[in-house]
Amino acid sequence: MTPAVEAAARTLWDFHLVYDPLAPADLIVGLGSYDLRVADRCAELFHQGLAPKILFTGKAGNWTNHLYKTSEAEAFAERARDAGVPAEAIIIEPNATNIGENIRFARSMAGDAMKRIIIVTKPQTQRRAFATVRAQWPEVHADITAPLINFEQQPIPAYPRDKLIHEMVGDVKRMIDYPAKGFQIPQSIPAPVADAFDFLVKAGYDHHL
């Protein structure tokens, strides 16, 4: 990876981060993915007493079709149980295939009683989750968080740094395209982020567009 590619990737990484301050909520919603550290973070927040239940949502998406023997949600639930979360505190939504469906299906399962939730996702999908929940579950107060890891720590053997960059580039494209479709609220794309996006697309990081 060249220094220019790394610098552009870090610009996108910083843009995608949200990390809201957290307060007690009615529900933790863990968005399924290739990264089981999301389930670990959900379990951590549960043990801190921030919510009485965790809803894991996810079937399979672009990155997990062959990664788990079960759905993402079931794999995450197993990980949370291994971390000491009681089975009766876990709700499984095993059908969502993208972040929009994660939010819509979680909303349907959770019902109208939810006033405040905590959404846990990968660090680099926090802004996309933020924009999505405000478009598709606007009546709930949603705080966004992720595992407390940095850019260097995010790649894992199954999904190394190149795939991370493809993913971050693709999510910027979705932030540009999806508001017109009603999938997300609009996000301002600062000029340095737009420049980094254009540079990485031209460098070939376009597999997730």
Side-chain angles (χ1 to χ4, degrees), residues 112-127:
D112 297 332
M114 297 294 110
K115 303 300 181 186
R116 189 180 193 117
I117 63 172
I118 298 170
I119 293 179
V120 186
T121 187
K122 305 187 300 297
Q124 71 274 15
T125 51
Q126 287 181 89
R127 185 170 296 278

Side-chain angles (χ1 to χ4, degrees), residues 84-159:
V85 178
E88 59 269 22
I90 297 173
I91 304 166
I92 294 174
E93 186 293 298
N95 297 310
T97 60
N98 56 57
I99 290 179
E101 289 184 351
N102 287 144
I103 299 302
R104 291 197 304 276
F105 296 174
R107 177 187 183 186
S108 178
M109 289 191 73
D112 297 332
M114 297 294 110
K115 303 300 181 186
R116 189 180 193 117
I117 63 172
I118 298 170
I119 293 179
V120 186
T121 187
K122 305 187 300 297
Q124 71 274 15
T125 51
Q126 287 181 89
R127 185 170 296 278
R128 186 173 165 202
F130 165 88
T132 303
V133 72
R134 278 156 178 77
Q136 301 196 33
W137 198 350
E139 67 273 19
V140 77
H141 180 105
D143 293 322
I144 313 297
T145 192
L148 304 177
I149 51 182
N150 60 32
F151 177 73
E152 290 81 11
Q153 295 168 321
Q154 179 56 33
I156 60 176
Y159 290 89

Side-chain angles (χ1 to χ4, degrees), residues 32 42 55 91 106 125 129 178 180:
C42 291
L55 189 157
I91 304 166
T125 51
Y178 280 6

